[in-house]
Amino acid sequence: METFTQTPASAQDILELYPRLGIPHFQRGLVWNEEATGLLLESLYFGTPCGNIILWQPLQPDVHGQPMEGQTGCELLLVDGQQRTRMLHEACNEAGDPEGKVW
């Protein structure tokens, strides 16, 4: 039986891991709005813990889930932390957007 490990990760660590991530079929869709994303970014700015992210590495990730939007494959599935991970990625990709959001 595999053991669970807990490893602190920075926002940069999560962003670097993003291309390898997917969503399990049992996960709900996104429900966060811009305000929730802004609050997440504020928490990161002030160094506040932002909760756990639980990853699952199944033998066949494509059978149990699907890659993140815009990705072609995945190795790890996000069991918990989908909203935070996807909104962090979106916020960082929009940072150079001339239409820009608050962040």
Side-chain angles (χ1 to χ4, degrees), residues 16-83:
E16 289 172 6
L17 191 62
Y18 191 87
R20 298 175 51 204
L21 299 177
I23 303 296
H25 293 305
F26 58 79
Q27 277 285 14
R28 65 182 176 160
L30 290 175
V31 295
W32 277 29
N33 58 21
E34 287 183 21
E35 181 180 353
T37 302
L39 291 171
L40 171 66
L41 296 175
E42 180 180 294
S43 293
L44 291 170
Y45 178 80
F46 287 112
T48 305
C50 296
N52 292 316
I53 292 177
I54 299 175
L55 302 174
W56 173 31
Q57 187 174 18
L59 294 176
Q60 298 176 304
D62 56 323
V63 170
H64 298 286
Q66 62 188 39
M68 295 291 221
E69 190 174 321
Q71 305 299 322
T72 57
C74 61
E75 301 169 35
L76 303 164
L77 299 179
L78 269 164
V79 174
D80 186 37
Q82 174 195 178
Q83 307 290 323

